[in-house]
Amino acid sequence: MTAHPAAARTPQQDRSRATRQRLLAAAVDCLAEVGWNGATVSVVAERAGVSRGAAQHHFPTREDLFTAAVEHVTAERLAAVRAHADELPAAGPDRTVAVVDMIVRLYTGPLFRAALHLWVAAATDEPLRARIVALEGRVGREAHRAAVEFLDADESRPGVRETVQATLDMARGLGLADLLSDDSARRSGVIRQWAGLLEGTLRPVRP
């Protein structure tokens, strides 16, 4: 009997999907380690264990590859955070500290380094800049939604939306401070202090 065409295509589709996943992960790692100038399509393909032709089949241009990689890995990180949201403490100061710490961890490590290299390259590369501005808009909106959700923040209250956004901006700044040296000791104190200020905005004590 002849196999059904859809069933026959499944292994090939699985291999194609696996190749794409390897390329995306390798692109972020390479970008974080060697920067925009060093992270060529050939370097990424070699690290992913595929041919350059296979890489270009999935991602015709270098810009396609790296913007897709950062967006994909960011989405994976946010999904992982959401998956553990039920482990957070109940609403209150402890939860706020935990959420701020969680947000800061999104902006440290290889993914942030990779994104930073893209931002720097985009500053002088107009076609890439258009892509990164759009990407950052999508990522920023999703990160803000996640922060509001985890903090149980009521953005109809004066100052709450701005303070939640300031939390994301602060986390990005802490990520920058951690690039050249281990900033974890100072960072933990900043997180606790900021969480206290944030909690006061989210749930002010009534006189």
Side-chain angles (χ1 to χ4, degrees), residues 10-183:
T10 299
Q12 176 59 36
Q13 290 172 340
D14 288 344
R15 287 194 294 273
S16 179
R17 189 177 299 111
T19 297
R20 180 183 173 88
Q21 295 290 97
R22 291 201 305 275
L23 284 166
L24 292 171
V28 168
D29 289 345
C30 288
L31 195 56
E33 291 174 14
V34 300
W36 176 251
N37 290 334
T40 64
V41 174
S42 296
V43 169
V44 172
E46 181 178 359
R47 183 167 189 144
V50 305
S51 68
R52 179 186 172 89
Q56 291 182 312
H57 170 75
H58 288 276
F59 304 100
T61 70
R62 187 185 184 201
E63 291 79 9
D64 289 336
L65 172 59
F66 287 104
T67 53
V70 170
E71 183 168 26
H72 171 74
V73 176
T74 299
E76 282 196 332
R77 290 281 301 276
L78 284 170
V81 166
R82 287 183 181 280
H84 292 89
D86 58 353
E87 300 173 9
L88 290 168
D94 289 345
R95 183 184 182 95
T96 302
V97 171
V99 172
V100 172
D101 180 67
M102 185 169 64
I103 292 170
V104 169
R105 281 188 276 114
L106 285 174
Y107 288 94
T108 55
L111 176 57
F112 181 75
R113 288 175 181 267
L116 182 60
H117 282 297
L118 273 184
W119 298 341
V120 172
T124 55
D125 183 331
E126 191 59 38
L128 180 60
R129 181 180 180 181
R131 288 171 174 263
I132 299 308
V133 168
L135 171 61
E136 281 301 301
R138 294 192 298 272
V139 170
R141 286 190 294 273
E142 181 59 28
H144 188 98
R145 279 195 295 268
V148 168
E149 176 186 334
F150 299 148
L151 291 166
D152 192 24
D154 179 2
E155 291 196 299
S156 68
R157 297 181 60 89
V160 169
R161 179 175 179 78
E162 293 78 7
T163 308
V164 171
Q165 185 57 51
T167 302
L168 296 169
D169 293 340
M170 185 265 308
R172 187 178 289 111
L174 290 176
L176 286 170
D178 193 57
L179 286 174
L180 298 179
S181 62
D182 183 359
D183 195 49

